[in-house]
Structure formats: structure tokens, C-alpha cells
């Protein structure tokens, strides 16, 4: 009971917990970013002719890359190969995610249309009520004038 009372007495200020969605997004995207950089950089270096020699899969690799030290992760390989490989992989992943989004969106729209047709919710009933008078008019004074 005291917990409910504490919640009722608490003053909610707008924006107090606005960092939570950003924090959740950051936590979810950090492993994805690490994977994309690790794989994209390694593919770029390999396609540039420097062989398949990926760096360790760790946060230290990501911090070294953010610090601008690609030579520490892929020794002897040009930075352009790492950037090109990572950019190409990011483009492919973005295109795949967009295609999946549009495919799922179309499938959900088709299911919603099918469901509304099955339940009969698309049926429109006739309006049997008299129309409402407009705001500026009074229903009692709108009788036709006698001529």
C-alpha cells in the first residue's frame, strides 16, 4: 500500500526518463555496430588484397577504430579499404532491412484487410439519425419562412 501512496505523491516532471529509450537503443545497436565494423572492415581489407586477417572481436577493437587507429586492427592495410568495406556492408544491411520492412508491412496490410472482410467490419451502416444543426444556428429558429 505504501508503494502506491509513494507513486501517487510523486511529481512527474516531463523528460525525467527520456534517456531510457536512447540507452536501450545504444545497448541494442552496439553489438550490431561492432559486428558490422569487424566484418565489413575485414571484407574490405581482404578484397583489397591484404588477406583475411580479422582483428579480435571485442569492444577494444571498436574503441581502437573510433580512435582512428585502423592500423592497429588491420596492420599494413589502408584505411580506405576498411571504410569501403564497412560502408558497403552497411549499405547491404540497410537495403535488406528496408526490403524486410516493406515485405512485412505489405503482409500485415493484407492480413488486416482479410481480417476486416471476414468479420464484416468493412460494412457501413446507413445513418438513420437526422443531421445535427450547425453551431451558429438554433434548431428552433430555422423553420422555413411563410411566404
Amino acid at each position: 500500500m505504501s508503494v502506491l501512496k509513494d507513486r501517487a505523491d510523486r511529481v512527474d516532471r516531463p523528460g525525467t526518463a527520456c534517456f531510457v529509450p536512447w540507452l536501450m537503443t545504444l545497448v541494442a545497436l552496439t553489438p550490431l555496430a561492432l559486428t558490422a565494423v569487424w566484418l565489413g572492415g575485414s571484407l574490405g581489407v581482404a578484397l583489397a588484397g591484404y588477406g583475411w586477417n580479422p582483428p579480435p572481436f571485442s569492444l577494444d577493437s571498436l574503441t581502437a577504430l573510433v580512435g582512428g587507429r585502423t592500423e592497429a586492427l588491420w596492420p599494413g592495410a589502408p584505411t580506405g579499404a576498411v571504410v569501403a568495406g564497412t560502408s558497403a556492408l552497411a549499405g547491404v544491411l540497410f537495403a535488406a532491412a528496408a526490403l524486410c520492412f516493406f515485405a512485412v508491412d505489405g503482409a500485415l496490410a493484407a492480413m488486416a484487410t482479410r481480417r476486416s472482410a471476414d468479420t464484416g467490419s468493412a460494412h457501413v451502416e446507413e445513418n438513420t439519425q437526422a443531421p445535427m444543426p450547425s453551431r451558429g444556428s438554433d434548431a428552433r429558429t430555422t423553420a422555413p419562412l411563410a411566404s
Side-chain angles (χ1 to χ4, degrees):
M1 185 71 171
S2 66
V3 174
L4 294 176
K5 186 177 184 302
D6 290 342
R7 287 186 182 171
D9 292 340
R10 185 181 67 197
V11 176
D12 287 330
R13 285 171 271 150
T16 54
C18 67
F19 70 92
V20 173
W22 292 106
L23 182 64
M24 290 172 53
T25 303
L26 180 67
V27 167
L29 291 182
T30 299
L32 183 63
L34 177 61
T35 303
V37 168
W38 180 83
L39 185 60
S42 297
L43 284 173
V45 168
L47 291 175
Y50 292 92
W52 180 259
N53 189 16
F57 191 79
S58 66
L59 285 177
D60 292 336
S61 299
L62 186 62
T63 56
L65 189 68
V66 168
R69 297 176 295 168
T70 59
E71 294 83 21
L73 300 175
W74 293 278
T79 303
V82 174
V83 171
T86 303
S87 300
L89 183 65
V92 168
L93 291 176
F94 181 76
L99 287 174
C100 288
F101 172 76
F102 289 120
V104 168
D105 188 41
L108 290 176
M111 285 181 1
T113 303
R114 191 175 329 124
R115 180 168 290 168
S116 67
D118 290 344
T119 60
S121 63
H123 177 68
V124 178
E125 295 180 16
E126 292 183 23
N127 188 1
T128 58
Q129 296 178 346
M132 297 291 290
S134 64
R135 282 184 170 211
S137 66
D138 187 8
R140 291 173 282 169
T141 60
T142 57
L145 295 173
S147 29

